[in-house]
Amino acid sequence: MSLIDLSKQVALGIDIGGTNTKFGVVNHRGEVLEKGSLKTDEYEKVEDFIDALYEHISPLIEKYGTEKNFDGIGVGAPNANYYKGTIEQAPNLPWKGLIPFTDLMKAKFNLPCTITNDANAAALGEMLFGAARGMKDFIMITLGTGVGSGIISNGSLIYGHDGFAGELGHTIVKPGGRKHWSTGSEGSLEAYASATGIAITAKKMRAEFPESMLNQYPEEAINSKTVHECALKEDPIAIEVFRYTGQKLGEALANFVMFSSPEAILLFGGVIKAGDFILKPAKLHMERNLLPIFRNKVKLVFSELDEADAAILGASALVWEKK
Amino acid sequence: MSLIDLSKQVALGIDIGGTNTKFGVVNHRGEVLEKGSLKTDEYEKVEDFIDALYEHISPLIEKYGTEKNFDGIGVGAPNANYYKGTIEQAPNLPWKGLIPFTDLMKAKFNLPCTITNDANAAALGEMLFGAARGMKDFIMITLGTGVGSGIISNGSLIYGHDGFAGELGHTIVKPGGRKHWSTGSEGSLEAYASATGIAITAKKMRAEFPESMLNQYPEEAINSKTVHECALKEDPIAIEVFRYTGQKLGEALANFVMFSSPEAILLFGGVIKAGDFILKPAKLHMERNLLPIFRNKVKLVFSELDEADAAILGASALVWEKK
């Protein structure tokens, strides 16, 4: 048995978004020791992006070089494939086609590199450092511009045979329902429960109810934040927008529970700022669609991770998880 | 390292159904060396049932006693809990409440005993001896009187935090849809794709279309077998019954694929005798509800196991799987 001084081990966590890329140096306790960011969309070629990333990060590696051991790099990115180390056809990133991302990173940084999609990384972050510590079976749902998910079963992420498992935002909650603006599918969870979906619901409802406070805003200002403001002022239409969203979310969650029987479902992302306006109807409609053996067992909770650091923590968790 | 002569190892597989219980002695190649059955519903007390089971089986154990090693007993049963070794509140079994089944079996047989629900056992049987040999990610759907499921992810069954995962028959495919005769839920997969559901669909459709051949049968003779007979004679209404069933099944399968991204979905049970009448629309509606990254990848196939032996093989696989 070889003893490793855990206090010396650190990982690099990198979260690649369509506009910004955040990175940080994270220790075993989930503390972000250093962090920084660069613009993703300024680099048309992925090689130039990785060069720029290296210029930002190498001073940090040198700074900690003597006192810390860098175990590796974890990356969260849209459309990332864990098995192949690739980013594939990501609609929101500037680099098209199939990008051999971890190979490029290993060559530049000379460190092991693992990649997965951003919601999977978030789930690992919750398991190692957040609200899911000690849990072996839970589902993470990220409610942002889109709806993502990461599923932990028996202590491991479910990747599926091809690395693409866990696209719960694209499961159909209402067959023949609202057409998705990008995929064209009808009635997906994302079409209702994402920030984009909530804005669509709000615009429809305010047109039906001229007395709603929501009509005091210009069209482009209708989003989950302004709906929340109106709900706090007790506008019944704004409250109904979140109730309807919560119902669709809860119906979808019931199906997920009957699939993998998680101990908890963790909700994360900008949309959860609406709090009980969404959580209470979600819980109600989840419970009423469950078989009795599943009822009143599943914790439905909000993420505990600081939103600014969660993506970096989650990505770094990829490094620790492999140990 | 100790060498074990696999040709000497055998397992007992027991499949408990509401009416009949089947048992068999199975070897490592999935050959059923001996089999038999007894009536489940003749025993009001579970202790009496286990005594009777022992009387049937102990001659087999004695017969093979000198030349074979009995590794253990695997049991498939409705509402069985793998973690606790219990059968809980099974509506179709004569024994009510919480039955400590494996404890009772171990005490009587003096052999290790493992239990899981029948669809999970069937999935293990397919992985060890059937159409899913070599696969690490697949979903087994049993289409019988009810709809059951067993989900294999990364080479293991998904049990969930409480042992009850994989109730895909009770996921909702049509919110607010057909009321389930037993659970009361609205629009579950089982309400449409089980033999019971198919009979309901057929009775509704023949009432709407007096010219259908289905009207030549008395009410109580309408079931998936008679609908199949009429479909083979090209009755368009009978064909539509299966097409509608296949559509609902396919829509549900698309959601399952986006959850765990399986290499294959295996269909098993009496309903699959309808063959392409169900399989083709199921495949069509699965594909059209999938995100592009999942399309034309998932094999949708029928079980390869002999139906008479599948339940025994699946139960025995529980013993080998633990090795």
Side-chain angles (χ1 to χ4, degrees):
Chain A
M1 192 181 133
S2 65
L3 285 172
I4 295 171
D5 182 356
L6 286 182
S7 68
K8 284 197 161 191
Q9 306 302 111
V10 291
L12 271 172
I14 300 173
D15 177 65
I16 301 176
T19 312
N20 293 301
T21 292
K22 297 177 212 159
F23 55 83
V25 177
V26 182
N27 72 12
H28 258 276
R29 287 194 297 239
E31 291 162 339
V32 180
L33 306 179
E34 299 269 352
K35 60 182 167 179
S37 70
L38 71 166
K39 289 273 173 204
T40 314
D41 55 8
E42 280 181 3
Y43 304 92
E44 274 183 43
K45 288 174 67 182
V46 67
E47 290 82 359
D48 295 342
F49 170 77
I50 288 176
D51 286 347
L53 200 56
Y54 186 76
E55 275 184 43
H56 279 77
I57 293 176
S58 61
L60 301 182
I61 297 182
E62 275 170 37
K63 176 176 168 187
Y64 287 99
T66 50
E67 53 170 296
K68 302 282 186 192
N69 298 317
F70 277 79
D71 274 346
I73 306 172
V75 181
N79 289 45
N81 190 294
Y82 173 79
Y83 291 132
K84 295 192 272 180
T86 51
I87 298 177
E88 305 189 15
Q89 332 284 357
N92 301 322
L93 294 183
W95 326 305
K96 298 306 164 200
L98 199 150
I99 312 288
F101 197 83
T102 59
D103 286 348
L104 295 170
M105 288 290 288
K106 284 176 207 163
K108 189 77 192 177
F109 285 80
N110 199 27
L111 279 172
C113 181
T114 311
I115 196 168
T116 192
N117 80 46
D118 31 9
N120 281 346
L124 287 179
E126 291 290 344
M127 184 164 67
L128 268 71
F129 309 122
R133 262 169 306 197
M135 289 188 195
K136 295 183 80 177
D137 297 273
F138 71 96
I139 297 175
M140 174 95 184
I141 307 280
T142 61
L143 301 162
T145 315
V147 174
S149 63
I151 307 157
I152 302 278
S153 177
N154 210 17
S156 299
L157 268 169
I158 293 188
Y159 284 111
H161 84 290
D162 59 357
F164 287 120
E167 286 289 353
L168 300 184
H170 297 286
T171 60
I172 304 300
V173 289
K174 190 177 174 186
R178 184 181 293 173
K179 197 175 169 82
H180 190 287
W181 46 91
S182 153
T183 69
S185 72
E186 293 178 344
S188 68
L189 177 60
E190 184 165 283
Y192 297 99
S194 63
T196 320
I198 291 171
I200 294 171
T201 304
K203 285 170 191 171
K204 280 188 180 174
M205 286 198 184
R206 76 170 189 164
E208 275 181 66
F209 297 92
E211 71 276 22
S212 168
M213 268 182 221
L214 290 168
N215 288 299
Q216 297 165 6
Y217 297 82
E219 181 86 354
E220 65 276 11
I222 297 296
N223 54 41
S224 62
K225 186 165 169 282
T226 47
V227 178
H228 190 207
E229 285 167 14
C230 295
L232 287 172
K233 290 176 196 157
E234 297 181 15
D235 179 61
I237 306 310
I239 291 169
E240 173 62 16
V241 169
F242 285 132
R243 193 212 59 76
Y244 180 75
T245 305
Q247 174 175 349
K248 287 282 158 278
L249 176 61
E251 288 170 359
L253 296 182
N255 280 357
F256 306 158
V257 168
M258 293 192 281
F259 196 106
S260 68
S261 200
E263 180 178 346
I265 293 174
L266 269 62
L267 303 177
F268 179 83
V271 167
I272 68 170
K273 291 193 182 116
D276 278 350
F277 289 118
I278 280 189
L279 193 66
K280 283 191 172 174
K283 175 95 182 148
L284 174 72
H285 289 276
M286 178 178 85
E287 293 292 348
R288 68 181 294 225
N289 280 283
L290 286 173
L291 271 193
I293 50 164
F294 296 107
R295 269 181 211 153
N296 302 312
K297 279 178 164 181
V298 186
K299 301 179 196 100
L300 183 58
V301 291
F302 290 145
S303 161
E304 281 180 7
L305 295 181
D306 175 50
E307 210 180 328
D309 290 344
I312 293 168
L313 281 174
S316 76
L318 270 174
V319 176
W320 311 127
E321 192 237 1
K322 295 194 85 180
K323 297 273 147 179
Chain B
M1 192 181 133
S2 65
L3 286 171
I4 293 170
D5 182 357
L6 285 181
S7 69
K8 284 196 160 188
Q9 306 301 112
V10 291
L12 271 172
I14 301 174
D15 177 65
I16 301 177
T19 313
N20 292 301
T21 292
K22 298 178 214 162
F23 54 84
V25 178
V26 181
N27 71 13
H28 258 275
R29 287 195 298 240
E31 292 163 340
V32 181
L33 306 178
E34 300 270 350
K35 59 183 167 180
S37 69
L38 72 164
K39 290 272 173 204
T40 315
D41 55 7
E42 279 182 3
Y43 304 91
E44 275 181 44
K45 288 173 68 183
V46 67
E47 291 81 0
D48 295 343
F49 170 77
I50 288 176
D51 286 347
L53 199 57
Y54 186 76
E55 275 183 43
H56 279 77
I57 292 175
S58 62
L60 301 181
I61 297 181
E62 276 170 37
K63 176 177 168 187
Y64 287 99
T66 49
E67 52 170 296
K68 302 281 185 194
N69 297 319
F70 277 80
D71 273 344
I73 306 173
V75 182
N79 289 45
N81 190 295
Y82 173 79
Y83 292 131
K84 295 192 273 181
T86 51
I87 298 176
E88 303 189 17
Q89 332 284 357
N92 302 321
L93 295 181
W95 325 307
K96 299 307 165 200
L98 198 150
I99 312 289
F101 197 83
T102 59
D103 286 348
L104 295 169
M105 288 291 287
K106 284 175 207 164
K108 189 77 192 178
F109 285 80
N110 199 26
L111 280 172
C113 181
T114 311
I115 196 167
T116 192
N117 80 46
D118 30 10
N120 281 345
L124 286 179
E126 292 290 344
M127 184 162 69
L128 268 70
F129 308 123
R133 261 169 307 196
M135 288 187 196
K136 296 183 78 178
D137 298 274
F138 71 95
I139 297 176
M140 174 96 185
I141 305 281
T142 62
L143 300 162
T145 316
V147 173
S149 64
I151 306 158
I152 302 278
S153 178
N154 210 15
S156 299
L157 269 170
I158 292 188
Y159 284 112
H161 85 288
D162 58 356
F164 287 120
E167 287 289 354
L168 299 185
H170 297 287
T171 59
I172 305 301
V173 289
K174 191 178 174 184
R178 185 181 291 172
K179 199 175 168 81
H180 190 286
W181 44 92
S182 154
T183 68
S185 72
E186 293 179 344
S188 69
L189 176 60
E190 185 164 283
Y192 297 98
S194 64
T196 319
I198 292 172
I200 293 170
T201 305
K203 285 171 192 170
K204 280 188 182 176
M205 286 200 184
R206 75 170 192 166
E208 275 182 65
F209 296 92
E211 70 276 20
S212 168
M213 268 182 219
L214 289 167
N215 288 299
Q216 296 165 7
Y217 297 82
E219 181 86 355
E220 66 277 9
I222 297 296
N223 54 42
S224 62
K225 186 164 168 283
T226 47
V227 178
H228 190 207
E229 285 167 14
C230 295
L232 288 171
K233 290 175 194 155
E234 298 180 13
D235 179 61
I237 305 310
I239 291 170
E240 174 60 16
V241 169
F242 285 133
R243 193 212 60 75
Y244 181 75
T245 306
Q247 174 174 348
K248 286 280 156 281
L249 176 60
E251 288 170 358
L253 296 182
N255 279 357
F256 306 158
V257 168
M258 293 191 281
F259 196 105
S260 68
S261 199
E263 180 178 346
I265 293 175
L266 270 63
L267 303 177
F268 179 83
V271 167
I272 68 170
K273 292 194 182 112
D276 278 349
F277 289 118
I278 280 189
L279 194 66
K280 283 190 173 176
K283 174 97 182 146
L284 174 73
H285 288 276
M286 179 179 83
E287 294 291 349
R288 68 180 296 223
N289 280 285
L290 286 173
L291 269 194
I293 51 163
F294 296 108
R295 270 183 210 150
N296 302 311
K297 278 178 164 182
V298 186
K299 301 180 195 99
L300 183 58
V301 291
F302 290 147
S303 163
E304 281 180 4
L305 295 181
D306 175 51
E307 209 179 329
D309 290 344
I312 294 169
L313 280 175
S316 76
L318 269 175
V319 176
W320 310 127
E321 192 239 359
K322 296 195 83 180
K323 296 271 147 182

